Amino acid sequence: MGLLRRIRETGRAAEPAPPRPEGDVPEKARELGGSVQVRCVDAGSCNGCEIEIAAAFNPVYDAERYGARQVASPRHADVALVTGPVTRNMAEPLRRTVAAMGEPRLVVAVGDCAINCGEFAGGHGVEGAVADVVPVDLTVPGCPPEPDAIVAALRRVTGR
Amino acid sequence: MSAIPAALATATTLGGAGALAGLGLPYRLRVPVVGLLTAGAGVAGAAAGVAALGGSRWATDLPGLLPLVGTHLAVDALAGVFMAVAGAVVVAVAVYGVGYAAGHGPHGLGSRTAQAMLPLFALTLVLVPAAASVSTFLVLWELMALVSLLLVLAEHRERASVRQAGVWYAVMTHLGLVLLLAAFALFAARAGGETFAALRAGAHTVSPTVRGLVFVLAGLAFTSKAGAVPLHAWLPRAHPEAPSPVSALMSTAMVNLGVYGLIRTGLDLLGGGPAWWWLGLIAVGGVSAVYGILQAAMASDLKRLLAYSTSENMGLVFIGVGACGLFTSYGDRPLAALALAAALLHVVNHAAFKALLFCAAGSVVRSTGLRDLDRLGGLRSRMPATAGLFALAALGAVALPPGNGFISEWLLLQSLIHGLQVPGVAVAVVLPLSVALIALSAGIAAAAFVKALGVGFFARPRSPRADGAREAPPLMIAGMGLLAAACVALALVPGLLGDALDRAVSAIGLPGSGALSGGGVRVRLTDISASLSPLWVVAALAVAIMAAVGLPRLYGRRRRRMNARLWDCGGGAPTPRMAYTATSFAEPLQRVFDDVLAPEQDLNVTPVRESAYLVERVRFERRVPDRIEHRLYEPVLRALAGTGRSARRLAGGSVHLYLGYGFVGLVVLLVALAVGW
């Protein structure tokens, strides 16, 4: 009973939905019909972006209400959320992860490091940006990007 | 003129000739000739059994054959069941054994001793049920034990563990013989005769206490032979270490004779008894069933797994025999007949699938030299015929519908469930409990055989030897094919055995159960309203499986197919070492039954010399010991060793002391005689 009361008292935690982000739905994402399964790949991130991604799926930002859902295997996924500069050890696993996803598939590079290696550019363990390893469809700039920005990018994919 | 004496004489001649051929012929000729003669003896034995099951009886006395007492032989339908099963298994195993021993060199099973013993063993297996007096029975029984001991030791040069297993087997089988001797000597002395006919006639004059003692002693001996808990310790040692054809014979035909002895003594010679006998037997059967299959589910040695599963199945049979005795003591004879028919049918079914399992395991051992499931794997593509036959037999062993074990366990459960109408507190407590134990053992059996088949034959090979496995030679596959045909026939049309089982049950004075009437296709129980059509069950299952496999293929063809790399978490292809092993498969079950199994584990952490915090090596070891053996045998062995050590002090090495012993002994004897005995 205590749990039910807590639920009633808390009410709705999610913020009101912001307006639809600008920009078209990418060509490939149209086939997905507004329901997108997301697999996160940490290619060498400092974990800042991971915290923001976790926040994007929490009850406050609630990315799931727009049709994006996290899954545990690339075999189930339509979208790869890749964070961090791609390290040497993660370059091949990243390629295999993207190859393991069914078509149509999209790659979203989250954070400055994923876009241009950010702080770690030129490091000896860094292979390059995500776009150097796999084709990237969308980018979310920021160090780290705010959950709002991540949700906005996912909404562009789902179109909702 | 009955066909039985001719068949038995043929079997004896061929068996004897086989033993001589094994001794005399050179290696090249030895194996095929002995195999042929053994198979002939098996055919003759099976023919005698089938003739007895067909309704003919035969008895004879051969006064000159054994000194003082002579030999008494008699064959009725009950003996016929065990004779026919033993003969049939011998035929298949003899064919298989030729392939097994050929090309293996003149050691192990191909050696002179082993080849001479194999036909003798087959012969004693067929002849023991024909014995009709205590002395004949015990002579044949002991001959069977000795010959099988020599066969267990056949590979003693290759593995030291064989010798240890041989010692265990020799000690325990002779312990059983001593118990049996005591029981029969007591019985024969009180009943006034040593032929089975005299025992049967005199059983009513024996006091209830003596009858109880005879039953307990003989019961211990016979359940030990059948591998039931707690005197089972020899079975999981001797059966894995014997050459596989011998394991197949021992684990089917020989353990069956334990059941035969118990039925013959308890239900026939003693003529049934009070309820406590049978409650005790049901308890032994129930504990054996669950404990045996639990140990089988934990075992990672393929043949040890099968040996423990024998313990389980014999436990189920003893539940059936116990239920039969219990119902008889309460006067419900139709139900007793049903329980006994179920037990006998399970004996037949178990012999078919277990012989096939041991033979298939033997093919694996012969080809890879490995019994350890953790190091096998990948055999399905390398030994397809063996893998298929093993799968067929495993289906019988798990007691699920298309397999042959299902029907006998179903009959057993029916008899137990309908036994609740029998009045009595003990019945009301014991029968539901044994139903639960049977259900539990069937569930664990499924886990054990999924493990044996899935880990041992599927996936990828986990060692180079498993990788290099090759299919067994045609003769071995032919032998296994005979057993597989028996399994399939028993699964599809068990009703064909109906009349034979009825005669076997009525041989000990119970009314025919009619359990398997209905012309083979249908199993109908006449006294209680229940029926089952194995053929239709199998047909329905086959249609369902074909639909499940075929329909998606029919509709899925339009889609484009593409090949993709296996998803390996991005970290590179998984190695065979990452595959599920038998140990890891059994681990969850082991946790569930932690209190019963009491696994022991050792964790040895060796730090580097400079620092206690840096670890150089970690060694982890986990064993699942046989707990009953641990608790029951080790104190006895310790006490024996202690007695031996203290007795050594008597022999101090002084001649005066020894002369003194002689003198004291003489004086004590004279005093005893003088006082007057």
Side-chain angles (χ1 to χ4, degrees), chain B residues 547-616:
Chain B
V549 173
L551 288 180
R553 215 162 261 198
L554 221 62
Y555 287 98
R557 196 171 287 164
R558 287 169 211 154
R559 295 227 188 106
R560 190 165 57 93
R561 287 179 71 172
M562 55 186 286
N563 288 325
R565 192 189 152 85
L566 178 75
W567 173 239
D568 49 19
C569 297
T575 66
R577 266 182 66 87
M578 297 175 185
Y580 229 17
T581 62
T583 314
S584 49
F585 188 86
E587 210 273 340
L589 202 62
Q590 184 188 308
R591 271 171 197 244
V592 173
F593 292 97
D594 207 35
D595 292 337
V596 183
L597 294 166
E600 297 170 353
Q601 57 186 44
D602 281 343
L603 187 61
N604 255 327
V605 182
T606 319
V608 295
R609 201 179 298 152
E610 292 78 26
S611 163
Y613 299 107
L614 297 175
V615 174
E616 189 186 10

Side-chain angles (χ1 to χ4, degrees), chain B residues 7-19:
Chain B
L8 283 185
T10 316
T12 313
T13 317
L14 290 176

Side-chain angles (χ1 to χ4, degrees), chain A residues 41-50 81-87 94 108-123 125-134 136 138-145:
Chain A
V41 181
D42 178 343
S45 155
C46 70
N47 276 15
C49 297
E50 268 64 41
L81 277 189
V82 188
T83 55
V86 181
T87 57
L94 177 61
V108 180
V110 176
D112 285 347
C113 300
I115 297 166
N116 55 18
C117 294
E119 198 69 24
F120 302 103
V126 174
E127 182 97 0
V130 174
D132 300 336
V133 180
V134 288
V136 170
L138 275 176
T139 55
V140 187
C143 184

Side-chain angles (χ1 to χ4, degrees), chain B residues 605-673:
Chain B
V605 182
T606 319
V608 295
R609 201 179 298 152
E610 292 78 26
S611 163
Y613 299 107
L614 297 175
V615 174
E616 189 186 10
R617 196 173 60 233
V618 178
R619 183 188 158 84
F620 177 78
E621 199 177 351
R622 183 164 221 181
R623 285 178 306 274
V624 183
D626 192 327
R627 209 175 175 200
I628 292 181
E629 195 184 304
H630 229 54
R631 289 284 170 88
L632 194 68
Y633 291 58
E634 279 182 9
V636 174
L637 290 178
R638 262 203 303 278
L640 272 179
T643 318
R645 267 196 300 280
S646 48
R648 205 186 285 167
R649 261 179 256 146
L650 290 175
S654 150
V655 178
H656 303 100
L657 195 61
Y658 298 160
L659 286 174
Y661 289 153
F663 178 67
V664 170
L666 189 66
V667 168
V668 168
L669 187 68
L670 287 176
V671 167
L673 287 174

Side-chain angles (χ1 to χ4, degrees), chain B residues 110-171:
Chain B
S111 71
R112 212 169 274 274
T113 329
Q115 286 293 314
M117 291 303 132
L118 195 61
L120 274 188
F121 185 42
L123 183 61
T124 51
L125 289 175
V126 169
L127 285 185
V128 165
S133 73
V134 170
S135 46
T136 315
F137 184 81
L138 287 178
V139 166
L140 286 169
W141 186 263
E142 176 59 10
L143 192 61
M144 174 178 82
L146 285 179
V147 169
S148 58
L149 174 62
L150 285 177
L151 284 169
V152 166
L153 288 171
E155 291 177 353
H156 71 99
R157 275 184 214 184
E158 289 156 46
R159 295 186 305 277
S161 51
V162 173
R163 278 165 242 167
Q164 209 203 351
V167 171
W168 271 89
Y169 179 43
V171 169

